[in-house]
Amino acid sequence: MLRPALAALVAAALPVLAAPAFAEQVGEVDTAFKLFGANHKIVVEAFDDPKVEGVSCFVSRAKTGGISGSLGLAEDKSDASIACRQVGPIRFLDALEAGEEVFKTRTSIVFKSIQVVRFYDPARRTLIYLTYSDRLIDGSPKNAISAVVLAPWGAQDAPGAPVYDD
């Protein structure tokens, strides 16, 4: 009886293990005072690429305050900025997929989120991280990119090209 329960627990945990990265908030600044509820702010969050050791990304985004923002009912603005950097020796932990989602955070109660996806440019040996809102704004989503060159780290050589899933 213990085995089926353990198998069910492992099966339930696998999607979580393969899920995009979770961010930790590293800072925030207030941008507008609200008499009731939290102030409007810009938050800065950091996350590590779940499949590329040695790469961290930093995303700044608007967070709506007021009563609806405090209750989690407000829709945040679609603006976001991203900066990804090599923070150690780069090592690929698993095969990559073109346009693979590496981070996602909800910015409204229902239909809107900010996402980060990863691409690889073999001609320039560079990982490219694109952040965008999945809500269309005047026909196209707001977006920003950052690039990380596959470079040596200290005495270690630069990593080889990543392997891609078909």
Side-chain angles (χ1 to χ4, degrees):
M1 182 141 128
L2 184 58
R3 264 194 185 160
L6 184 59
L9 181 64
V10 169
L14 285 178
V16 173
L17 295 175
F22 290 99
E24 67 180 86
Q25 185 172 318
V26 295
E28 65 182 43
V29 294
D30 290 344
T31 58
F33 173 76
K34 300 302 282 182
L35 187 58
F36 297 105
N39 293 336
H40 294 317
K41 58 185 71 179
I42 296 172
V43 296
V44 177
E45 298 169 313
F47 68 91
D48 299 324
D49 188 318
K51 288 188 176 180
V52 183
E53 186 178 282
V55 173
S56 295
C57 294
F58 304 86
V59 176
S60 68
R61 61 184 182 88
K63 191 160 176 116
T64 303
I67 294 171
S68 60
S70 296
L71 296 174
L73 302 174
E75 183 172 311
D76 294 335
K77 301 286 184 190
S78 297
D79 296 324
S81 179
I82 187 168
C84 298
R85 299 292 184 263
Q86 181 176 1
V87 295
I90 292 177
R91 190 172 67 115
F92 298 102
L93 304 175
D94 201 354
L96 307 183
E97 298 173 33
E100 180 175 11
E101 181 181 291
V102 294
F103 175 73
K104 183 175 187 174
T105 189
R106 194 173 278 290
T107 54
S108 78
I109 193 165
V110 183
F111 295 115
K112 186 174 166 187
S113 63
I114 289 180
Q115 301 176 54
V116 177
V117 295
R118 176 195 339 95
F119 297 94
Y120 176 65
D121 178 356
R124 291 159 193 84
R125 294 185 38 78
T126 302
L127 294 167
I128 299 130
Y129 293 85
L130 165 69
T131 184
Y132 66 97
S133 168
D134 60 6
R135 178 166 178 206
L136 295 181
I137 309 297
D138 295 330
S140 63
K142 296 193 176 192
N143 62 85
I145 65 167
S146 186
V148 177
V149 176
L150 299 183
W153 185 264
Q156 293 191 340
D157 291 336
V163 174
Y164 268 84
D165 282 339
D166 291 331

